[in-house]
Amino acid sequence: MPTDNMIIHAASLGSPVFPMNFHAEVHSVYNQVVNLSLHESDTIVSLLFRDDNDQPGDVRLDRRHRSLMDHFSPGGKVSCQEGEFTLPHSPIRIRLKDANRVDCGVPDPCQADHSTIEEASRVIQQTRWQKTCDLPANGGIQQLLSTKIDHGLDGVRQLLLIGDENRLIENVSQLVGLGFGLTPTGDDILIGLMAGLQINKVMNTINQERSNAINSAVLKCRGKTNQISRKYLQFAAAGYYSAYLIDLLKAVCSAGTLGDVKGAAEKVASTGHTSGTDTLLGFLAALDLLKN
Amino acid sequence: MNTAQRILRNLYRDSVSLMQLSDEIQSLEGVTQASAIMASASNISLLVDSGLLPEPIPESPNDLLIVVQGNDQSAVEQAIEVAESMLMKRPDASLSQDVQATLPQSVQMGIEIAPEANLALISTPGSYAAAEALKAMRYGLHVMMFSDNVGQEEELMLKQYSDRHDLLFMGPDCGTAIINGIPLGFANVVRNGKIGVVAASGTGLQQVTSLIDRWGGGISQALGTGGHDLSAKVGGITMKQGIRALSADPNTRVIVLISKPPSPAVMESVLAEAEKAGKLVVINFVGADPKTIHGGNLYGAPTLEAAAAAAVQLEKGERPHISEAVLNPEYQSLVENLAGQMNSRQKFIRGLFSGGTFCFESLHLLGQQLGPIYSNIPINPEWKLDDVWKSRQHTAIDLGDDLFTQGRPHPMIDFRLRNERLLQEAHDPETAIILLDIVLGYGSNMDPAAEIVPVIREAQQIAAGGDSKLLFLASVCGTQGDPQDLSRQERELRGAGVILTDSNAQAALLAAELIKYHEGKHHD
């Protein structure tokens, strides 16, 4: 347990790293995460109390420091000066200076081709099936949600292929913010889709401008979801993803073993309650576009 | 219809909690529909389309929206209060003025509420199960541990403790038992009688107890040992506890033991215990040669059905006739006609099992008759499937294996995975026979026929499109007392063209015979 004037060293920072001087308020404390809302901007910086899976723009502290979360409560003030967090009336100092920098950007161009995409797609599909949990029925809402998600995703796929940007924005806006939870299903799917489409830069299956259209559509619609999910959509549109999703991209792109792909897909699937499997759904949709 | 809604500013909860909350609120009296969801434009549109919101409201994606609909305005407004208090975790808010009883949070509290209890059923994540079981045993309770993912060292420690304190420890991974006529976990409703069963196999126990009931016998007690009890490390501690308990039980005349073949040392110690039982003991080590079990009060049976049949005969005071596993004449007479319906491209059996022991027994019987049978639980390492999602030649899959069930209900409850695989096999022109087990009883799907018959029909159409006729063979493991109505289940399956046999063994033997006959015809 921390004692007076305890310096805690952050384990890592996910790129792109935020500016090291700011004042913030605790936005929410939730599931191994403390979210900070920065003054003077619409930015959220999250402190992740876990041993892996860095996120872009966030700070990761090892799981053993989880007791520190007790020092944060919604509305509480936090400041960061020269890369050191302080809380009023608290002895805790969180130092970022020596933290590892984790590259959450898209890996270098890859060696994927149609047959490796096909195989990877099969393995990821199976992994997603295995990890998808049954959800409470919630009356007909869950079924209606699934229908809207299917239609939305189908629509996005079609519109990406034909290049109708206006209708694409309209379609994407129906997915953004759609679903339950902190990062709604629609948002997670779009993140997965944008990640998977990064592979198009090598494969050139789809006109690259059309492929990029999804990113700008998401940016235009990002205001339609909550502040926390909005952050991840913004990063995704700029080519930054969670460490697990980056690992999956690397596994698919490096034409490595299917075991690597499976392992990476399992890690993605394990994130959140349904976020991981929703992200894989979007990723698979991208691979589907690239295969065909 | 009355609706109430409330916005909770800047409140975030995970998806599963929100859906569970919505389900709980929906179950309150006077409430017809409810949802708790972030108030994004997309979600508001979803709620309008579902009829929960009569019209759109201003979006506020950072806020949580609760909507409740019902027949009575005061009921929906009260439901909103309950929902908010649940989200804010204020336990004193409730619909009724009555004091809510506190559910026990520990074994000790449970004993205070029910001091007469003498059995603890443990169903927690594996990493907590051992500690809870030890607590229960320290209070003098016997234990049935449904939890799996408990290490063998821990299992050994727990069972040695239970032995020293003369307690019965069933498990880990024990999903089936019948204690004093009460089914626990996955179990069938069976007649009371003089046959006691100790099984290291859930579906093995279910098959034997169901057949005993069907053939006029009855069960005194049915004890599960868990899947690893007969490992070299654990040494069959629970099986031996079970033998001793049934030996001492005045209501048990015959004992049946069921397991996969244990190691020679463990088999020897179990058989030694059985010899001392002072009662007649029928033993089926699934797949092992029953001739290795003989003499005195011991009877080796080649199959689960043979074990059940022998036990019934012994219970009646008759001498059992235990033969090798052979196809009953009533099914033999079907072979020529059924085999004639297959075309020359159709060659292979595809077994899709929800019960691991049913799959295992079928693998042995089919393997003896036909040679290589590929599986995710092969009886020969060379017959392991490279890709468990794709069949190869003759294949039998245990769909209850951890590989398929992580994060999903067991296939005895949820038929979706098996149904998908069934259709996949139907698309393969080389598939001749689809072999199934249908398991009834408490814990299982409440209407298996309704789940699988439409898929069987669809599969038949797929095969017909390719000028093939698919044969469906199955056994229904269940009794007339089971909640699923055995007769109706069998009627609906037969109505879809499924050939039903009395037992899993007979279904496998019939499948093998059909293939042999079909191969013989096409070689002539």
Side-chain angles (χ1 to χ4, degrees):
Chain A
M1 284 298 287
T3 56
D4 285 349
N5 297 323
M6 186 104 178
I7 307 285
I8 306 295
H9 293 272
S12 52
L13 307 176
S15 69
V17 178
F18 51 88
M20 292 282 174
N21 293 288
F22 61 78
H23 293 284
E25 194 173 282
V26 178
H27 175 278
S28 47
V29 179
Y30 174 83
N31 270 14
Q32 308 166 30
V33 176
V34 172
N35 297 306
L36 306 175
S37 176
L38 271 55
H39 294 169
E40 295 120 33
S41 73
D42 189 29
T43 314
I44 297 267
V45 171
S46 302
L47 309 180
L48 313 171
F49 291 83
R50 59 192 189 214
D51 289 336
D52 50 19
N53 199 22
D54 290 78
Q55 300 271 30
D58 288 341
V59 181
R60 192 177 62 75
L61 295 97
D62 287 335
R63 218 172 114 176
R64 61 195 161 93
H65 295 309
R66 204 176 284 174
S67 59
L68 291 183
M69 290 175 69
D70 294 340
H71 292 258
F72 295 89
S73 54
K77 306 288 181 225
V78 176
S79 60
C80 184
Q81 300 288 324
E82 304 304 325
E84 186 166 296
F85 278 102
T86 55
L87 293 79
H89 316 299
S90 168
I92 301 303
R93 304 283 183 269
I94 298 173
R95 193 165 283 172
L96 312 180
K97 197 175 67 169
D98 300 317
N100 290 331
R101 295 317 200 240
V102 171
D103 187 2
C104 291
V106 175
D108 283 338
C110 65
Q111 304 152 28
D113 58 31
H114 279 93
S115 104
T116 57
I117 297 293
E118 180 83 51
E119 287 294 306
S121 197
R122 182 177 58 80
V123 166
I124 297 167
Q125 178 75 278
Q126 286 166 9
T127 304
R128 184 177 173 270
W129 168 261
Q130 286 167 7
K131 299 293 184 188
T132 300
C133 297
D134 267 347
L135 298 168
N138 196 208
I141 300 270
Q142 187 61 35
Q143 197 156 346
L144 185 57
L145 176 62
S146 297
T147 305
K148 279 180 174 271
I149 293 285
D150 286 344
H151 283 153
L153 194 49
D154 252 345
V156 165
R157 278 205 291 246
Q158 296 300 326
L159 293 165
L160 274 174
L161 287 173
I162 65 176
D164 186 334
E165 197 165 331
N166 289 332
R167 284 178 59 206
L168 179 66
I169 293 171
E170 194 187 305
N171 214 291
V172 164
S173 81
Q174 288 165 14
L175 280 174
V176 171
L178 179 64
F180 293 88
L182 196 65
T183 55
T185 298
D187 297 0
D188 289 324
I189 287 173
L190 288 167
I191 288 172
L193 180 68
M194 287 187 280
L197 283 176
Q198 295 290 338
I199 302 173
N200 187 60
K201 287 177 184 161
V202 170
M203 292 189 63
N204 278 311
T205 307
I206 313 167
N207 176 292
Q208 189 55 43
E209 255 185 55
R210 288 186 195 167
S211 179
N212 291 341
I214 184 77
N215 298 37
S216 44
V218 166
L219 280 174
K220 286 187 168 92
C221 301
R222 70 188 189 276
K224 292 184 164 296
T225 191
N226 69 74
Q227 222 174 341
I228 292 165
S229 196
R230 189 182 313 156
K231 170 180 82 164
Y232 295 120
L233 283 176
Q234 264 172 247
F235 277 125
Y240 294 97
Y241 306 95
S242 71
Y244 280 175
L245 196 45
I246 293 290
D247 285 345
L248 179 60
L249 264 172
K250 283 179 182 168
V252 172
C253 287
S254 66
T257 69
L258 290 179
D260 294 335
V261 174
K262 184 174 194 294
E266 280 175 352
K267 285 195 165 167
V268 172
S270 69
T271 53
H273 290 81
T274 55
S275 281
T277 48
D278 290 337
T279 305
L280 286 182
L281 181 62
F283 196 87
L284 284 165
L287 296 191
D288 204 47
L289 277 166
L290 297 174
K291 277 189 292 183
N292 299 315
Chain B
M1 194 64 74
N2 299 282
T3 306
Q5 63 199 52
R6 185 162 299 172
I7 289 276
L8 300 174
R9 302 272 169 219
N10 282 317
L11 188 65
Y12 297 88
R13 290 288 183 270
D14 67 86
S15 49
V16 175
S17 300
L18 290 180
M19 283 188 275
Q20 284 174 339
L21 171 78
S22 304
D23 265 6
E24 283 183 42
I25 299 302
Q26 215 158 272
S27 68
L28 294 174
E29 203 170 317
V31 175
T32 51
Q33 229 190 144
S35 190
I37 202 168
M38 300 306 281
S40 64
S42 305
N43 285 341
I44 289 166
S45 170
L46 176 72
L47 295 177
V48 169
D49 289 347
S50 75
L52 198 42
L53 272 179
E55 58 188 11
I57 62 172
E59 62 180 275
S60 53
N62 293 309
D63 303 329
L64 187 64
L65 169 65
I66 312 171
V67 188
V68 179
Q69 198 173 71
N71 298 319
D72 175 68
Q73 188 61 32
S74 69
V76 301
E77 282 169 9
Q78 279 185 322
I80 286 275
E81 297 298 333
V82 171
E84 183 172 351
S85 73
M86 286 168 77
L87 282 164
M88 301 303 194
K89 294 191 191 305
R90 289 201 304 262
D92 53 335
S94 75
L95 273 187
S96 104
Q97 297 301 314
D98 295 336
V99 173
Q100 295 211 333
T102 307
L103 290 173
Q105 303 286 311
S106 67
V107 172
Q108 183 182 5
M109 286 175 72
I111 289 169
E112 283 169 12
I113 293 167
E116 70 283 9
N118 65 348
L119 173 71
L121 203 161
I122 310 266
S123 181
T124 65
S127 47
Y128 305 104
E132 293 306 310
L134 208 47
K135 284 182 213 170
M137 288 195 287
R138 286 191 176 131
Y139 282 108
L141 301 177
H142 305 281
V143 168
M144 176 176 169
M145 185 181 279
F146 194 87
S147 308
D148 60 6
N149 293 317
V150 174
Q152 285 198 21
E153 286 288 349
E154 280 185 315
E155 181 175 348
L156 180 62
M157 177 273 292
L158 289 166
K159 290 186 174 182
Q160 285 172 337
Y161 184 97
S162 72
D163 239 15
R164 287 197 297 275
H165 294 83
D166 208 23
L167 296 168
L168 180 65
F169 191 104
M170 296 185 284
D173 198 19
C174 174
T176 305
I178 304 173
I179 306 292
N180 296 333
I182 299 170
L184 296 175
F186 292 92
N188 302 91
V189 178
V190 296
R191 188 181 297 108
N192 196 35
K194 299 284 186 195
I195 301 170
V197 179
V198 190
S201 151
T203 38
L205 189 153
Q206 287 191 262
Q207 172 86 118
V208 166
T209 54
S210 296
L211 288 175
I212 287 170
D213 178 273
R214 197 184 281 221
W215 293 330
I219 301 298
S220 58
Q221 310 284 352
L223 310 174
T225 68
H228 301 293
D229 185 62
L230 275 77
S231 64
K233 193 166 197 78
V234 180
I237 293 175
T238 300
M239 183 155 278
K240 288 183 276 190
Q241 285 177 346
I243 293 168
R244 289 194 295 273
L246 293 174
S247 169
D249 177 24
N251 294 317
T252 299
R253 187 185 298 156
V254 179
I255 299 171
V256 179
L257 305 180
I258 302 157
S259 166
K260 289 182 183 173
S263 67
V266 176
M267 187 188 293
E268 197 181 314
S269 77
V270 167
L271 293 180
E273 193 71 55
E275 279 171 349
K276 289 189 307 192
K279 296 186 180 176
L280 303 167
V281 184
V282 180
I283 301 170
N284 172 227
F285 290 143
V286 182
D289 183 357
K291 295 192 192 66
T292 58
I293 301 156
H294 56 86
N297 60 326
L298 306 185
Y299 296 85
T303 60
L304 295 164
E305 68 158 2
V312 170
Q313 286 171 310
L314 287 168
E315 189 192 24
K316 290 180 191 166
E318 297 167 7
R319 188 183 173 79
H321 301 287
I322 305 178
S323 60
E324 289 180 2
V326 290
L327 186 62
N328 287 352
E330 65 177 288
Y331 304 127
Q332 184 68 50
S333 66
L334 301 174
V335 169
E336 185 177 348
N337 181 37
L338 289 175
Q341 295 174 26
M342 297 188 273
N343 67 36
S344 57
R345 283 174 308 167
Q346 291 176 282
K347 296 178 192 158
F348 300 125
I349 296 167
R350 301 286 157 81
L352 308 178
F353 293 94
S354 57
T357 302
F358 288 145
C359 184
F360 192 72
E361 183 179 63
S362 298
L363 285 168
H364 277 281
L365 293 170
L366 293 170
Q368 283 161 12
Q369 301 286 325
L370 302 175
I373 308 284
Y374 292 88
S375 179
N376 57 320
I377 54 162
I379 55 174
N380 181 327
E382 288 174 21
W383 302 345
K384 187 162 176 64
L385 278 171
D386 292 328
D387 179 357
V388 299
W389 300 91
K390 231 165 133 180
S391 295
R392 179 183 172 185
Q393 297 173 18
H394 297 301
T395 294
I397 303 282
D398 171 17
L399 290 161
D401 190 45
D402 285 349
L403 183 73
F404 297 107
T405 58
Q406 276 190 22
R408 296 206 70 84
H410 195 276
M412 288 206 296
I413 305 167
D414 184 340
F415 276 48
R416 281 176 290 179
L417 184 58
R418 181 154 68 163
N419 286 348
E420 277 194 20
R421 189 60 179 261
L422 200 155
L423 292 175
Q424 181 183 315
E425 305 299 348
H427 278 289
D428 182 353
E430 293 189 315
T431 303
I433 297 169
I434 293 184
L435 191 52
L436 301 166
D437 60 348
I438 307 289
V439 183
L440 309 186
Y442 287 107
S444 291
N445 188 291
M446 286 312 292
D447 196 349
E451 295 278 352
I452 205 166
V453 160
V455 180
I456 288 172
R457 293 195 192 284
E458 188 180 342
Q460 287 163 338
Q461 282 176 349
I462 292 167
D467 289 325
S468 293
K469 169 97 192 243
L470 267 181
L471 295 181
F472 287 87
L473 308 186
S475 63
V476 181
C477 175
T479 69
Q480 293 295 351
D482 285 334
Q484 290 91 346
D485 189 350
L486 171 65
S487 300
R488 181 175 66 79
Q489 296 293 322
E490 288 182 335
R491 190 169 58 244
E492 289 180 14
L493 288 162
R494 287 197 173 102
V498 179
I499 310 297
L500 295 181
T501 61
D502 273 354
S503 70
N504 181 67
Q506 290 297 313
L509 290 167
L510 176 57
E513 202 61 33
L514 284 166
I515 293 296
K516 281 173 12 186
Y517 187 94
H518 182 57
E519 282 175 352
K521 218 165 61 136
H522 285 279
H523 280 142
D524 287 346

